[in-house]
Amino acid sequence: MSKVFLTRRERFNAAHRMFHPDWSDEKNLEVYGKCSNPNWHGHNYVLFVTVKGHVDPEMGYVVNLKKVSKIINKYIIEKLDHKNINLEVDFMKGRVPSAENLAIGIWEQLNPHIHKIGVELHCIKIEETENNYVEYFGE
Amino acid sequence: MSKVFLTRRERFNAAHRMFHPDWSDEKNLEVYGKCSNPNWHGHNYVLFVTVKGHVDPEMGYVVNLKKVSKIINKYIIEKLDHKNINLEVDFMKGRVPSAENLAIGIWEQLNPHIHKIGVELHCIKIEETENNYVEYFGE
Amino acid sequence: MSKVFLTRRERFNAAHRMFHPDWSDEKNLEVYGKCSNPNWHGHNYVLFVTVKGHVDPEMGYVVNLKKVSKIINKYIIEKLDHKNINLEVDFMKGRVPSAENLAIGIWEQLNPHIHKIGVELHCIKIEETENNYVEYFGE
Amino acid sequence: MSKVFLTRRERFNAAHRMFHPDWSDEKNLEVYGKCSNPNWHGHNYVLFVTVKGHVDPEMGYVVNLKKVSKIINKYIIEKLDHKNINLEVDFMKGRVPSAENLAIGIWEQLNPHIHKIGVELHCIKIEETENNYVEYFGE
Amino acid sequence: MSKVFLTRRERFNAAHRMFHPDWSDEKNLEVYGKCSNPNWHGHNYVLFVTVKGHVDPEMGYVVNLKKVSKIINKYIIEKLDHKNINLEVDFMKGRVPSAENLAIGIWEQLNPHIHKIGVELHCIKIEETENNYVEYFGE
Amino acid sequence: MSKVFLTRRERFNAAHRMFHPDWSDEKNLEVYGKCSNPNWHGHNYVLFVTVKGHVDPEMGYVVNLKKVSKIINKYIIEKLDHKNINLEVDFMKGRVPSAENLAIGIWEQLNPHIHKIGVELHCIKIEETENNYVEYFGE
């Protein structure tokens, strides 16, 4: 049976600021620059979720894409879209809301649910702007 | 002499919320939905500034693009990038920070400076997401 | 009051073939080439609907974008998405399903509904491939 | 000698429907939803073919890109562009025309020809819409 | 009869330098900066040609897009692609190779040929980079 | 500690020609076709630099993206932007300026500097046109 990687793109718009609660305002500013603005800024985040699995010989799919999309929307997009990542997102509590930590947090949220639909989570990719993105493979 | 339209693209990342100060929280929520989240959300805004003018027969330009870019950065991007549009942007004070009002506000800021470099401001276009944008032609 | 143009992007995937019922298969092939394949082909169509109006001084919108999106989805996307344009789309009956005729047909469908929400329909733009698109302004 | 991965993008527009011939219409509809519309729908497919090999120290190329493009066009694009994948594509006969099976079928078609020009086929990527794509690495 | 605007996108890769032959090297450098590098630089130019006309009631097209594409390729792309705009493009002789002048030159080349196929040339748009483009409407 | 891949996109516009100095003009033309035009041509190159590393548990970053961007600009963009790759780029001397060799050359330039900021260089990707790109992973 052939193994195929399937990727779903979803989007969310959110506010955040780079901020470490144990640091002074000066140190936050020094490390994070304008990304630490106390009044927040925001992004149109683009999320790519890649799963891998064997192609079901009958159905022709690795997994029905609608199931993947439903999981991403329920566990990720509804929690992040039009939200403040520092203040309102349960799985980001206690974490600096960098793209890196966001990718790791999203992986942890999605992994058990992706597992349940019979495929393996392979990669979480987050584009924060057109000039930078991060990828996390679960390790 | 030939008239040509010249467009410069710039980007800024900012936080905002749709909010009318004279309305109750309930009415704000009813009208603006999740866009009214009190904890803010944000966007990667894409700004297109179009100027028009006759091509300088010697230089071959309508106007040196670097001048246009410098003006946009000085009067718009520095005021908006990594900022909170509701709280921190002088020319948006007292205005609901919709894409429409942002386009009008940017037009008002840029118009006198674009005029000074010998061309006419033609259009301000703002993309808020990949699925919606507004255009304002100064009228 | 300032006039602003607001554009909403929507997408639909559909099958079609270029085919004139009064012509022989040979003439259809001669005029339309491979686009006339009797077994159909298809596209990821991208639709841009532009409306214009004055910015509501209270709300800050030309019109609530959700209303525009709801109308487009109800009267256009539901009729076209995952459909055969030649066989299944009521407002395209009797029309060669070119991008041009599609734009005109969509204009006719949307115009009365856009009018009812207090703005004017300005332009229907359809991208058929990344290399060609058409625009119709209602005249 | 350095190993480099070289990717060529090509496009084709085709019709298809998700359909398993051994299943009832009801089951097809239940599994595939609107993607199973008996009157077909279609896509602007985007195909990325990645080959890998050592850079020829004289020529400076992994392989002349024109050779790769010629092979893709002869064995894939001519068979798929403006065609019905269910009815007209020899190498897809007997296969549900999912993006997954398409990627596997294209791999099988291209692999011997890519091998003959001295490089190794690495990945077939197919974008069906801007929100989903599949990748197949030959295993 | 309905009037529709039809746009074709084509691309060419070319070298150029901003350079006025009557000016000293110093003045060229002062006005054009690094764009005046004597050893040239280059771009992936993207050209959008928009024509307008009435939709042919039988055929359903404003004009057959292949005719438009053939004209653009014969009179523009073959002259510009993989060429040096300053040295090798007949219709740019004696003109500073700015995007503005390129748009005007392309208009002049295409206009009579577009006229012959029964439609009107409406706009030449040239993207030089993702951050700047020019539009010329023939006046 | 979690390992994350971080990618920065940068752009440069340059002229080049495919040319092997030990070959006759005829052989260069035969091998490289129009890409060997003696008067040069050019591209809007898009460069993606991917680094990998563990997420700093305090800062939340693999590495501060500004440091990566500064290194790329200092050692790569300043040397390539608005330059002639055959004539003016020190690290490309004696190399046919293919995308492949450019990726290898950029890897060699960046690798020691990326190492110094505590992360590992993972991939250099160069897009020469929208239809072709190369990737080099340092081996």
Side-chain angles (χ1 to χ4, degrees):
Chain A
M1 275 200 304
S2 303
K3 188 181 266 187
V4 170
F5 294 72
L6 173 67
T7 299
R8 176 72 184 173
R9 188 183 80 118
E10 302 278 353
R11 298 173 301 113
F12 58 93
N13 309 322
H16 81 152
R17 69 177 288 206
M18 294 301 295
F19 177 72
H20 195 297
D22 299 349
W23 296 350
S24 66
D25 282 1
E26 288 72 23
K27 179 150 188 208
N28 272 293
L29 186 66
E30 186 196 315
V31 173
Y32 297 124
K34 63 185 178 182
C35 300
S36 189
N37 177 9
N39 288 314
W40 321 99
H41 67 282
H43 294 291
N44 296 354
Y45 289 92
V46 188
L47 167 65
F48 297 82
V49 175
T50 303
V51 303
K52 64 181 168 190
H54 293 288
V55 179
D56 180 298
E58 275 224 301
M59 188 175 60
Y61 287 154
V62 163
V63 64
N64 198 319
L65 193 62
K66 272 173 221 151
K67 289 187 187 172
V68 178
S69 177
K70 208 173 282 182
I71 287 171
I72 302 172
N73 274 279
K74 181 168 178 189
Y75 297 102
I76 304 299
I77 304 302
E78 284 189 14
K79 290 183 174 178
L80 282 162
D81 191 35
H82 285 76
K83 292 285 162 55
N84 184 309
I85 304 177
N86 300 60
L87 304 178
E88 298 179 295
V89 181
D90 55 4
F91 66 82
M92 291 302 290
K93 286 277 158 66
R95 281 169 163 165
V96 174
S98 62
E100 285 91 331
N101 280 340
L102 205 46
I104 295 168
I106 290 172
W107 176 286
E108 291 166 359
Q109 294 301 301
L110 288 181
N111 199 28
H113 301 288
I114 293 295
H115 190 75
K116 274 182 209 152
I117 58 171
V119 283
E120 216 177 312
L121 187 54
H122 174 67
C123 181
I124 298 297
K125 176 180 169 182
I126 294 179
E127 286 184 8
E128 208 173 50
T129 77
E130 66 183 36
N131 291 330
N132 66 295
Y133 63 83
V134 299
E135 291 160 300
Y136 179 58
F137 296 85
E139 288 174 8
Chain B
M1 277 202 303
S2 304
K3 189 182 264 184
V4 170
F5 294 72
L6 172 68
T7 300
R8 176 73 185 174
R9 189 182 80 119
E10 301 279 353
R11 300 173 298 113
F12 56 93
N13 309 321
H16 80 151
R17 69 177 287 208
M18 293 301 296
F19 177 71
H20 194 299
D22 298 349
W23 296 349
S24 67
D25 282 0
E26 289 71 24
K27 180 151 188 207
N28 271 295
L29 186 66
E30 188 196 313
V31 174
Y32 298 124
K34 63 183 177 183
C35 300
S36 189
N37 177 9
N39 288 314
W40 321 98
H41 66 283
H43 294 292
N44 297 354
Y45 289 93
V46 189
L47 167 64
F48 297 81
V49 175
T50 301
V51 303
K52 65 182 167 190
H54 293 289
V55 179
D56 181 297
E58 275 224 301
M59 187 174 61
Y61 287 154
V62 162
V63 65
N64 198 319
L65 193 62
K66 272 172 219 152
K67 288 186 187 173
V68 178
S69 177
K70 209 174 281 184
I71 288 172
I72 304 172
N73 274 280
K74 182 168 178 189
Y75 296 103
I76 304 300
I77 305 302
E78 284 189 15
K79 289 183 174 178
L80 281 162
D81 191 35
H82 286 76
K83 293 285 161 56
N84 183 308
I85 303 176
N86 300 60
L87 304 178
E88 298 179 294
V89 181
D90 54 6
F91 66 83
M92 293 301 290
K93 285 278 156 64
R95 283 170 160 163
V96 175
S98 62
E100 284 92 333
N101 281 340
L102 205 45
I104 295 168
I106 290 172
W107 176 286
E108 292 166 358
Q109 293 300 302
L110 287 181
N111 199 28
H113 300 288
I114 292 296
H115 190 75
K116 274 182 210 153
I117 57 170
V119 284
E120 217 178 312
L121 187 54
H122 175 68
C123 181
I124 297 297
K125 176 180 169 181
I126 294 178
E127 286 184 10
E128 208 173 52
T129 77
E130 66 183 36
N131 291 330
N132 66 296
Y133 63 83
V134 299
E135 291 160 300
Y136 179 57
F137 295 85
E139 289 174 6
Chain C
M1 275 201 305
S2 304
K3 188 182 264 185
V4 170
F5 295 72
L6 173 68
T7 299
R8 176 73 185 172
R9 188 182 81 118
E10 300 279 352
R11 298 173 301 112
F12 57 93
N13 309 321
H16 81 151
R17 69 177 287 209
M18 293 302 295
F19 177 72
H20 195 297
D22 299 350
W23 296 350
S24 66
D25 282 1
E26 287 72 24
K27 180 152 186 205
N28 272 293
L29 186 66
E30 188 196 314
V31 173
Y32 298 124
K34 64 184 178 182
C35 299
S36 189
N37 177 11
N39 289 314
W40 321 98
H41 67 280
H43 294 292
N44 297 353
Y45 289 93
V46 188
L47 167 64
F48 296 82
V49 175
T50 303
V51 303
K52 64 181 168 191
H54 292 288
V55 180
D56 181 296
E58 273 224 302
M59 188 174 60
Y61 286 154
V62 163
V63 65
N64 198 319
L65 193 62
K66 272 174 218 149
K67 289 186 187 173
V68 178
S69 176
K70 208 174 281 183
I71 287 171
I72 303 172
N73 274 280
K74 182 168 178 189
Y75 297 102
I76 304 298
I77 304 302
E78 283 188 15
K79 290 183 173 179
L80 281 162
D81 191 35
H82 285 77
K83 292 286 162 54
N84 183 308
I85 303 177
N86 300 58
L87 304 178
E88 298 179 295
V89 181
D90 55 5
F91 66 83
M92 292 301 290
K93 285 277 158 64
R95 282 171 163 164
V96 175
S98 62
E100 284 92 332
N101 280 339
L102 205 45
I104 295 168
I106 290 172
W107 176 285
E108 291 166 359
Q109 294 301 302
L110 288 182
N111 198 28
H113 301 288
I114 292 296
H115 189 75
K116 274 182 212 153
I117 57 171
V119 283
E120 218 178 311
L121 187 54
H122 174 68
C123 181
I124 299 296
K125 175 180 169 181
I126 295 180
E127 286 184 7
E128 208 173 52
T129 76
E130 66 183 35
N131 291 330
N132 66 295
Y133 63 84
V134 299
E135 291 160 300
Y136 180 57
F137 296 85
E139 291 175 5
Chain D
M1 277 201 302
S2 303
K3 189 182 265 186
V4 170
F5 294 73
L6 173 68
T7 299
R8 176 72 185 173
R9 188 183 81 117
E10 301 278 352
R11 299 172 301 113
F12 57 94
N13 309 321
H16 80 151
R17 69 176 287 207
M18 293 303 295
F19 177 71
H20 195 298
D22 299 349
W23 296 349
S24 66
D25 282 1
E26 288 71 24
K27 178 147 188 209
N28 271 293
L29 186 66
E30 188 196 313
V31 174
Y32 298 125
K34 64 185 177 179
C35 300
S36 189
N37 176 10
N39 288 314
W40 323 98
H41 68 282
H43 295 290
N44 297 354
Y45 289 93
V46 189
L47 168 64
F48 297 82
V49 176
T50 302
V51 303
K52 66 181 167 190
H54 292 289
V55 179
D56 180 298
E58 274 224 300
M59 188 173 61
Y61 286 155
V62 163
V63 64
N64 197 319
L65 193 63
K66 274 174 217 149
K67 289 186 187 172
V68 178
S69 177
K70 209 173 281 182
I71 287 171
I72 303 172
N73 275 280
K74 181 169 178 187
Y75 296 102
I76 304 300
I77 304 302
E78 285 189 14
K79 290 183 173 177
L80 281 162
D81 190 35
H82 286 76
K83 293 285 161 53
N84 184 308
I85 304 177
N86 299 60
L87 304 178
E88 298 179 295
V89 181
D90 54 5
F91 66 82
M92 292 302 289
K93 286 277 157 65
R95 282 171 163 163
V96 175
S98 61
E100 284 92 333
N101 281 340
L102 205 46
I104 295 168
I106 290 172
W107 175 285
E108 291 166 359
Q109 293 300 302
L110 288 181
N111 199 28
H113 301 288
I114 292 295
H115 189 75
K116 275 182 209 152
I117 56 170
V119 283
E120 217 178 312
L121 187 54
H122 175 68
C123 181
I124 298 297
K125 175 180 169 181
I126 294 179
E127 286 184 9
E128 208 172 50
T129 76
E130 65 183 37
N131 291 330
N132 66 296
Y133 64 83
V134 299
E135 292 160 300
Y136 179 57
F137 295 85
E139 287 173 8
Chain E
M1 276 200 302
S2 303
K3 188 181 264 184
V4 169
F5 294 73
L6 172 68
T7 299
R8 174 74 185 174
R9 188 183 80 119
E10 301 279 352
R11 298 172 300 113
F12 57 93
N13 309 321
H16 81 151
R17 68 177 287 208
M18 293 302 294
F19 176 70
H20 196 297
D22 299 349
W23 296 349
S24 66
D25 282 2
E26 287 71 24
K27 181 153 185 204
N28 272 294
L29 185 66
E30 187 197 313
V31 174
Y32 297 124
K34 63 185 178 182
C35 299
S36 190
N37 177 10
N39 289 313
W40 321 99
H41 67 281
H43 294 292
N44 297 355
Y45 289 93
V46 189
L47 167 65
F48 296 82
V49 175
T50 302
V51 303
K52 65 181 167 191
H54 293 289
V55 180
D56 180 298
E58 275 224 300
M59 189 174 59
Y61 287 154
V62 163
V63 65
N64 197 318
L65 192 63
K66 273 173 217 150
K67 288 186 186 172
V68 178
S69 177
K70 208 173 283 183
I71 288 171
I72 303 172
N73 275 280
K74 182 168 176 188
Y75 296 103
I76 304 300
I77 304 303
E78 285 189 15
K79 289 183 174 179
L80 281 163
D81 191 35
H82 285 76
K83 291 286 161 54
N84 184 308
I85 304 177
N86 299 59
L87 304 178
E88 298 179 295
V89 180
D90 55 4
F91 66 82
M92 291 302 288
K93 286 279 156 64
R95 282 171 162 162
V96 174
S98 62
E100 284 91 333
N101 280 340
L102 205 46
I104 295 168
I106 290 172
W107 177 285
E108 290 167 359
Q109 293 300 302
L110 288 181
N111 199 28
H113 301 288
I114 292 296
H115 190 75
K116 276 182 208 151
I117 58 171
V119 283
E120 217 178 312
L121 187 54
H122 175 68
C123 182
I124 299 296
K125 176 181 169 181
I126 294 179
E127 286 184 8
E128 209 173 51
T129 77
E130 66 183 35
N131 291 331
N132 66 296
Y133 63 83
V134 299
E135 291 161 300
Y136 179 58
F137 295 85
E139 289 173 7
Chain F
M1 275 200 304
S2 304
K3 188 182 265 186
V4 170
F5 295 72
L6 172 68
T7 299
R8 176 73 185 173
R9 188 182 80 119
E10 300 279 352
R11 299 173 300 114
F12 58 93
N13 308 322
H16 80 151
R17 69 177 287 209
M18 293 301 295
F19 177 71
H20 195 296
D22 299 348
W23 296 349
S24 66
D25 282 0
E26 288 71 25
K27 180 151 187 208
N28 271 294
L29 186 66
E30 188 197 313
V31 174
Y32 298 124
K34 64 184 178 181
C35 300
S36 189
N37 177 11
N39 288 313
W40 321 100
H41 67 281
H43 294 292
N44 297 352
Y45 289 92
V46 188
L47 167 64
F48 296 82
V49 175
T50 303
V51 302
K52 65 181 167 191
H54 292 288
V55 179
D56 180 298
E58 275 224 300
M59 187 173 61
Y61 286 154
V62 163
V63 64
N64 198 320
L65 193 63
K66 272 173 219 152
K67 289 185 185 173
V68 178
S69 177
K70 208 174 283 183
I71 287 171
I72 303 172
N73 274 280
K74 181 169 178 189
Y75 296 103
I76 304 300
I77 304 302
E78 284 190 14
K79 290 183 174 179
L80 282 162
D81 190 36
H82 286 76
K83 292 286 161 56
N84 183 308
I85 303 177
N86 299 60
L87 303 179
E88 298 179 294
V89 181
D90 54 5
F91 65 82
M92 292 302 289
K93 286 277 158 65
R95 282 170 162 164
V96 175
S98 62
E100 285 91 332
N101 280 340
L102 205 46
I104 295 168
I106 290 172
W107 176 286
E108 291 167 359
Q109 293 301 301
L110 288 182
N111 199 28
H113 301 289
I114 293 296
H115 189 75
K116 275 182 210 153
I117 57 170
V119 283
E120 216 178 312
L121 187 54
H122 175 68
C123 180
I124 298 297
K125 176 180 169 181
I126 295 179
E127 287 184 8
E128 208 173 51
T129 77
E130 67 183 35
N131 290 329
N132 66 295
Y133 64 82
V134 299
E135 291 159 300
Y136 179 58
F137 296 85
E139 289 174 5

